[in-house]
Amino acid sequence: MSTIFFFVCLTILIGVIAAISSPFWRKDPTTPELISREAEEDQEKADLSVEREVLLQSLQELDVELAQGRLEEEDYARLKATDEQRLLGVMDRLEALAATNRPSLSSEQAGQPGSAWGSAVAVSLVVVILSVGTYGFLQWRTINRLVDIQTERTGQMPDPREMVARLEARLKENPDDVQGQMMAGRSYMVLERMDDAKKAYAKVLELDPRNHEAHYNMGVIMIEQRKFDDPKIFEAALKHFDRVLVDRPNEPGVNWYKGLALWYLKRYRETEEFWATAYKNLDPGSQDADFVKQALAKLRDGETPF
């Protein structure tokens, strides 16, 4: 009997000690470790946001350099694919960080019976989820680094089919992502999936009616993918090119394609005007400049320019 009584007392004593000491071992949600983690995540978000803007600016500068003839097509495609691959990764990570933000328990909820057990279970689940997410992020970052290293060493750009698969999954959840639709349109053009590219650029123009690149590519697709020489196709393409030329009147590529549309419409004098503008804004020693120069010469001689 004394032995049983001893164990009963010991059990009660342990329970009392545990209850009294619980405020000391129970983790406060405002502990320095969690505050530090939140600060690190806030800093990472800020860094990723800056990197996203830098990549967007880099993509715009690449387009300008190509249009001005200061960058070869091969280098342009490689650099653009690398920037887009990294931009997609940055945007994925920003979404992942945003998804981890959850409202904290209120003080009333924390004081309700059973809230301690609920908090413990919730914390355990969060730890598991964060562990899996961290592992996945580290794997993703490692793969991206390997892709970047391979690109630098071999000069080969990442497989656009992989990028398209990721983009399509992303756009199913967020079809109003302008940058995602832009990258999808570029990738579809590389893969010669012109119908899909046209849909992507149409969505971009729905969301951003003044997007120069989308207008330009829509006009190009209309001309290059036409089934027959319907004047309505060339008129529609001209409207897209005109939207770009309002803000960028000296873009060589846009001037060339506008002149091409005008040539199909038999407006030869205007064709010469826009091709001359394109030629003046190209590097004189480039292949594009030689091509436009020859086309101009044939046009002036009354021959088919290409």
Side-chain angles (χ1 to χ4, degrees):
M1 179 68 70
S2 60
T3 304
I4 296 173
F5 179 76
F6 171 76
F7 280 113
V8 170
C9 292
L10 180 62
T11 302
I12 295 173
L13 180 61
I14 291 173
V16 172
I17 293 173
I20 294 174
S21 62
S22 61
F24 297 98
W25 52 260
R26 186 173 55 197
K27 197 156 192 156
D28 191 334
T30 58
T31 54
E33 290 114 351
L34 291 181
I35 294 174
S36 176
R37 181 187 298 172
E38 291 177 0
E40 289 177 0
E41 289 184 355
D42 290 342
Q43 183 61 49
E44 184 179 3
K45 288 179 185 177
D47 293 341
L48 289 171
S49 297
V50 171
E51 185 176 1
R52 179 184 58 189
E53 297 305 317
V54 170
L55 288 167
L56 291 173
Q57 182 64 32
S58 175
L59 287 169
Q60 292 178 0
E61 291 175 356
L62 286 174
D63 291 335
V64 172
E65 290 183 7
L66 177 68
Q68 294 177 350
R70 292 187 285 126
L71 194 64
E72 296 295 331
E73 287 279 356
E74 182 178 351
D75 294 334
Y76 168 80
R78 176 173 56 81
L79 293 171
K80 190 168 190 176
T82 302
D83 281 353
E84 287 179 342
Q85 184 84 359
R86 178 56 187 159
L87 178 60
L88 182 60
V90 169
M91 294 167 72
D92 285 344
R93 179 55 181 160
L94 282 171
E95 285 190 358
L97 287 172
T100 59
N101 290 335
R102 295 291 184 270
S104 59
L105 292 173
S106 65
S107 57
E108 293 181 358
Q109 290 174 318
Q112 293 176 354
S115 63
W117 284 104
S119 299
V121 173
V123 170
S124 299
L125 289 175
V126 170
V127 169
V128 172
I129 293 170
L130 287 176
S131 299
V132 174
T134 302
Y135 175 76
F137 170 65
L138 291 175
Q139 289 287 87
W140 163 82
R141 187 170 61 180
T142 302
I143 291 171
N144 270 333
R145 285 178 178 175
L146 290 174
V147 170
D148 292 340
I149 293 171
Q150 181 183 5
T151 301
E152 292 176 359
R153 290 181 178 177
T154 65
Q156 297 177 354
M157 59 183 177
D159 187 349
R161 290 171 295 185
E162 296 178 3
M163 181 181 291
V164 166
R166 293 175 61 191
L167 281 169
E168 288 176 340
R170 176 190 181 87
L171 292 173
K172 283 182 181 178
E173 298 181 359
N174 184 17
D176 293 341
D177 181 353
V178 176
Q179 291 302 322
Q181 293 287 0
M182 284 296 300
M183 288 189 285
R186 295 166 188 156
S187 299
Y188 287 139
M189 292 187 75
V190 171
L191 296 173
E192 298 184 355
R193 293 169 54 180
M194 296 304 177
D195 290 339
D196 291 328
K198 192 173 181 180
K199 291 177 183 178
Y201 288 127
K203 184 64 176 179
V204 171
L205 293 176
E206 176 186 328
L207 300 169
D208 181 12
R210 298 184 61 182
N211 190 289
H212 293 148
E213 183 179 347
H215 276 297
Y216 171 71
N217 285 324
M218 283 289 282
V220 171
I221 291 172
M222 287 180 177
I223 293 176
E224 298 292 346
Q225 298 299 309
R226 70 189 186 281
K227 302 299 182 182
F228 48 89
D229 292 346
D230 184 352
K232 292 181 180 179
I233 295 176
F234 302 113
E235 293 287 355
L238 283 175
K239 291 180 181 179
H240 286 291
F241 298 138
D242 286 339
R243 292 292 297 271
V244 182
L245 291 173
V246 168
D247 297 321
R248 299 183 178 182
N250 297 320
E251 287 288 344
V254 185
N255 278 281
W256 165 259
Y257 270 101
K258 179 170 182 178
L260 184 61
L262 291 167
W263 184 85
Y264 279 111
L265 293 171
K266 303 185 187 305
R267 294 160 61 177
Y268 302 129
R269 182 175 298 177
E270 293 172 85
T271 297
E272 181 179 355
E273 175 187 345
F274 285 98
W275 283 0
T277 301
Y279 177 72
K280 286 190 296 185
N281 289 279
L282 287 168
D283 183 354
S286 67
Q287 293 181 349
D288 289 339
D290 291 340
F291 179 82
V292 175
K293 182 179 180 180
Q294 293 175 13
L296 271 170
K298 291 179 180 179
L299 176 68
R300 290 163 180 166
D301 291 340
E303 301 176 9
T304 302
F306 38 81

